[in-house]
């Protein structure tokens, strides 16, 4: 069913009796042309673009849990394209372009809201660095502007400007960045992929690979053996475990990142604000909750929950940046597992096993990457080559020295 | 999360700094620098009690439950 205002009216007048589940729950077929492991945002987007852009139909997405239950439902929904490193810059620029047309593309409202991203600067040196960053963004054809102190006050008057430790000198503003509805992104891609014939298999955990003579022939799952000529790993938070079943050892550590939401408030925060030196960022959801977070807890974890120390640290940063937040009450906090790569940038590449492909290591930047990652991975699975905008994300770059280290922190995943 | 320092007793994890997988902490080759076992279970790792006695510690911790299994001085 195609969604439209007319359809809503029609359904409303007929008692809303004809709405149907938006994807099927098929039984696994014995074999597929392509099997994608992981039904998160990236996996579903990959399946969608494989069907849409490359005309493939015999595709399965294998999800251990349920659609929308992993990191695609645990993030803070920020979409931005403010990267400076070559490789990252082109990729996220392309992703932002796809975000702009995504609701129309999927005929599903992903509620992409380009409300802007404000990155605060606290010293002359940082202003210089962000000027350079803004020029890099402008030079590749995207939008960015620099605000001075008064500009910050005008744009976001609720920011406390009397911070003694980190005085605000100005900010980089990217008006085309913003937020989206994370669940809708998962559901929209799932619906789109299903409509093109993709089988979405939930509660189907991969337990092993069928690899013979360096060639993958399929996967073993909790719902039986499934044969496939091509298998794409796409499992943020469990990349190490799945890849290890294929004998791979990855340049990845898994860490926990916490996020928080307050009770619903009236419109208050008009943009996305990144208070980098305070390890804090915030936006306000359309429902009214203030959605915010900070840095990683800093140690390996698969727990999907963090320590109280980081809760306190984030709350302190919130109070120092927006003192008025002290009157709101925190509703929930949760953790997500970040597969942190050794240079802070992701991997989209083929592996040493023929027919087996890998997509992962998204650190805490996976959500905004979904459209570009899906279309790049689909092209890799269909044709064997990634498009130019994703060509830097090679698995062997750690050996060849072509690292993409946006933060310049070295091979310490907890610091990216 | 609390770690029991062999010198100072049980202390909040905020007093400690994390230095990653104990197996790869001393190596300087490609694999030690970039590749990790990254298990979803027991993990031996190096911490330093930076806000306490500054001892270097080897901690075995279950990274799925955050349960600390053992803490000893590193290199012992």
């Amino acid at each position: 069913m195609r969604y439209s205002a007319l359809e809503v009216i029609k359904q409303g007048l007929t008692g809303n009796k004809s709405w149907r589940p938006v994807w099927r729950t098929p039984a696994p077929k014995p074999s597929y042309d392509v099997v994608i492991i992981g039904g998160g945002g990236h996996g579903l987007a990959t399946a969608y673009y494989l069907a849409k852009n490359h005309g493939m139909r015999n595709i399965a997405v294998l999800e251990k849990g349920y659609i929308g239950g992993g990191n695609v439902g645990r993030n803070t929904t920020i979409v931005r394209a403010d990267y400076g490193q070559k490789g990252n810059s082109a990729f996220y620029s392309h992703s932002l372009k796809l975000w702009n047309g995504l609701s129309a593309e999927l005929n599903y409202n992903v509620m992409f809201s380009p409300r802007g991203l404000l990155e605060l600067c606290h010293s002359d040196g940082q202003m210089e660095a962000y000027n350079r960053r803004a020029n890099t963004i402008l030079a590749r054809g995207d939008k960015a502007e620099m605000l001075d102190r008064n500009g910050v006050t005008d744009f976001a008057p609720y920011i406390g400007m009397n911070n003694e430790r980190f005085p605000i000198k100005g900010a980089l503003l990217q008006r085309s960045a913003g937020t989206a509805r994370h669940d809708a992104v998962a559901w929209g891609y799932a619906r789109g992929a299903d409509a093109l014939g993709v089988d979405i298999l939930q509660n189907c955990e991969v337990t092993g690979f069928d690899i013979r003579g360096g060639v993958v022939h399929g996967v073993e799952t909790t719902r039986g053996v499934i044969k496939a000529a091509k298998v794409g790993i796409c499992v943020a938070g469990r990349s190490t475990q799945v890849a290890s079943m294929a004998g791979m050892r990855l340049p990845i550590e898994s860490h926990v990142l916490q996020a928080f939401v307050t009770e619903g408030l009236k419109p208050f925060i008009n943009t996305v604000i990144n208070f980098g030196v305070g390890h804090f960022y915030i936006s306000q959801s359309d429902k009214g909750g203030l959605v915010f977070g900070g840095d990683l807890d800093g140690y390996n974890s698969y727990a999907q929950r963090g320590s109280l120390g980081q809760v306190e640290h984030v709350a302190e940063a919130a109070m120092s940046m927006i003192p008025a937040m002290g009157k709101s009450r925190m509703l929930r906090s949760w953790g997500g597992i970040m597969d942190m790569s050794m240079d802070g940038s992701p991997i989209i590449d083929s592996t040493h096993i023929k027919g087996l492909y890998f997509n992962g290591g998204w650190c805490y930047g996976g959500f905004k990457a979904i459209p570009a990652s899906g279309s790049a991975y689909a092209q890799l699975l269909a044709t064997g080559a990634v498009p130019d905008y994703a060509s830097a994300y090679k698995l062997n770059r750690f050996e060849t020295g072509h690292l993409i280290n946006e933060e310049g922190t070295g091979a310490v995943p907890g610091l990216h | 999360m609390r770690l029991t320092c062999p010198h100072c007793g049980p202390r909040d994890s905020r007093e400690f700094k994390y230095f990653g997988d104990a197996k790869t902490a001393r190596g300087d080759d490609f694999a030690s620098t970039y590749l990790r076992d990254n298990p979803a279970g027991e993990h031996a790792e190096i911490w330093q009690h930076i806000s306490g006695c500054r001892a270097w510690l080897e901690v075995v911790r279950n990274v799925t439950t955050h349960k600390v299994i053992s803490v000893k001085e590193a290199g012992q």
Side-chain angles (χ1 to χ4, degrees):
Chain A
M1 181 193 292
R2 193 171 165 77
Y3 293 157
S4 64
L6 186 66
E7 191 63 41
V8 172
I9 294 165
K10 211 172 93 188
Q11 297 286 341
L13 292 173
T14 54
N16 286 311
K17 284 180 188 137
S18 305
W19 299 117
R20 292 283 172 270
V22 297
W23 61 81
R24 298 162 296 130
T25 48
K29 288 195 271 182
S31 83
Y32 291 91
D33 294 338
V34 180
V35 159
I36 295 159
I37 307 172
H42 292 246
L44 293 166
T46 303
Y48 173 79
Y49 290 115
L50 264 173
K52 178 81 191 299
N53 297 349
H54 303 281
M56 300 184 79
R57 289 292 182 272
N58 195 20
I59 303 164
V61 176
L62 275 44
E63 167 55 43
K64 177 173 77 168
Y66 61 93
I67 297 303
N71 281 345
V72 72
R74 302 182 82 86
N75 58 77
T76 49
T77 79
I78 291 163
V79 174
R80 57 185 167 87
D82 58 339
Y83 287 73
Q85 292 283 311
K86 203 177 161 188
N88 277 340
S89 164
F91 179 86
Y92 289 103
S93 169
H94 184 70
S95 204
L96 188 56
K97 286 190 184 81
L98 293 176
W99 275 106
N100 272 299
L102 195 56
S103 291
E105 164 83 24
L106 297 174
N107 177 231
Y108 201 94
N109 188 4
V110 300
M111 297 167 77
F112 176 56
S113 160
R115 59 185 66 183
L117 165 77
L118 195 66
E119 300 213 46
L120 300 176
C121 304
H122 310 274
S123 66
D124 293 339
Q126 205 181 5
M127 281 295 279
E128 289 297 319
Y130 272 92
N131 264 314
R132 180 172 182 269
R133 176 76 65 98
N135 282 331
T136 306
I137 295 168
L138 289 171
R140 68 163 191 242
D142 287 330
K143 300 237 165 62
E145 56 201 90
M146 293 300 293
L147 303 182
D148 60 11
R149 203 176 140 83
N150 290 334
V152 173
T153 310
D154 287 345
F155 186 70
Y158 45 81
I159 294 180
M161 298 301 281
N162 301 322
N163 193 321
E164 295 284 341
R165 176 67 184 84
F166 298 116
I168 293 168
K169 297 272 183 182
L172 184 154
L173 174 62
Q174 184 173 52
R175 291 185 195 269
S176 52
T179 62
R181 172 85 200 278
H182 51 0
D183 297 320
V185 175
W187 298 334
Y189 273 117
R191 172 173 172 266
D194 179 88
L196 293 169
V198 173
D199 280 0
I200 297 169
L201 307 173
Q202 301 180 80
N203 297 312
C204 183
E205 181 177 354
V206 169
T207 53
F209 289 94
D210 178 6
I211 296 167
R212 281 169 278 145
V215 182
V216 72
H217 294 278
V219 291
E220 292 149 25
T221 77
T222 49
R223 296 178 70 179
V225 173
I226 299 174
K227 292 202 174 305
K230 290 177 180 174
V231 177
I233 300 174
C234 200
V235 287
R238 289 282 168 174
S239 298
T240 296
Q241 282 68 39
V242 174
S244 73
M245 291 190 277
M248 293 163 64
R249 194 160 175 250
L250 297 176
I252 283 175
E253 273 183 19
S254 300
H255 287 245
V256 62
L257 180 69
Q258 300 193 63
F260 310 86
V261 64
T262 68
E263 59 193 335
L265 303 171
K266 286 191 174 180
F268 168 39
I269 310 279
N270 59 331
T271 187
V272 179
I273 306 162
N274 198 348
F275 176 33
V277 297
H279 313 145
F280 179 77
Y281 66 95
I282 186 167
S283 66
Q284 186 168 17
S285 78
D286 291 337
K287 212 160 65 179
L290 304 181
V291 182
F292 56 97
D295 274 357
L296 299 171
D297 273 30
Y299 45 79
N300 286 46
S301 173
Y302 285 92
Q304 291 193 317
R305 61 186 163 74
S307 287
L308 290 170
Q310 195 64 7
V311 178
E312 190 175 23
H313 183 69
V314 167
E316 284 169 357
M319 286 302 293
S320 73
M321 193 186 93
I322 306 176
M325 272 187 72
K327 300 204 171 179
S328 60
R329 278 169 294 195
M330 205 188 285
L331 200 62
R332 286 185 290 129
S333 72
W334 65 96
I337 304 309
M338 312 292 113
D339 278 348
M340 302 298 298
S341 71
M342 286 299 189
D343 63 356
S345 297
I347 297 159
I348 304 177
D349 206 355
S350 47
T351 68
H352 68 287
I353 296 159
K354 194 169 181 307
L356 184 66
Y357 300 85
F358 181 80
N359 175 330
W362 289 96
C363 304
Y364 36 74
F367 180 72
K368 62 182 168 288
I370 287 172
S373 164
S375 59
Y377 202 31
Q379 188 167 328
L380 175 65
L381 284 159
T383 69
V386 287
D388 282 346
Y389 65 81
S391 57
Y393 297 150
K394 296 202 176 353
L395 181 55
N396 72 349
R397 69 174 183 270
F398 304 91
E399 281 176 275
T400 62
H402 295 84
L403 304 180
I404 315 163
N405 201 325
E406 197 77 34
E407 303 281 339
T409 44
V412 186
L415 294 182
H416 294 312
Chain B
M1 197 166 76
R2 277 184 187 175
L3 299 178
T4 303
C5 174
H7 305 291
C8 315
R11 297 297 181 101
D12 190 299
S13 64
R14 275 175 291 185
E15 292 188 11
F16 301 81
K17 184 166 159 46
Y18 182 68
F19 285 85
D21 192 335
K23 252 166 69 177
T24 55
R26 289 186 176 199
D28 57 3
D29 58 343
F30 166 71
S32 302
T33 309
Y34 290 113
L35 302 183
R36 294 290 180 270
D37 289 342
N38 192 29
E42 289 190 13
H43 189 233
E45 51 202 24
I46 301 294
W47 293 72
Q48 189 187 10
H49 195 184
I50 51 163
S51 302
C53 62
R54 300 195 65 80
W56 290 86
L57 305 171
E58 186 176 327
V59 177
V60 178
R61 193 171 57 94
N62 186 317
V63 297
T64 303
T65 61
H66 290 177
K67 186 178 180 209
V68 177
I69 291 141
S70 67
V71 183
K72 62 172 187 178
E73 275 211 56
Q76 302 235 322

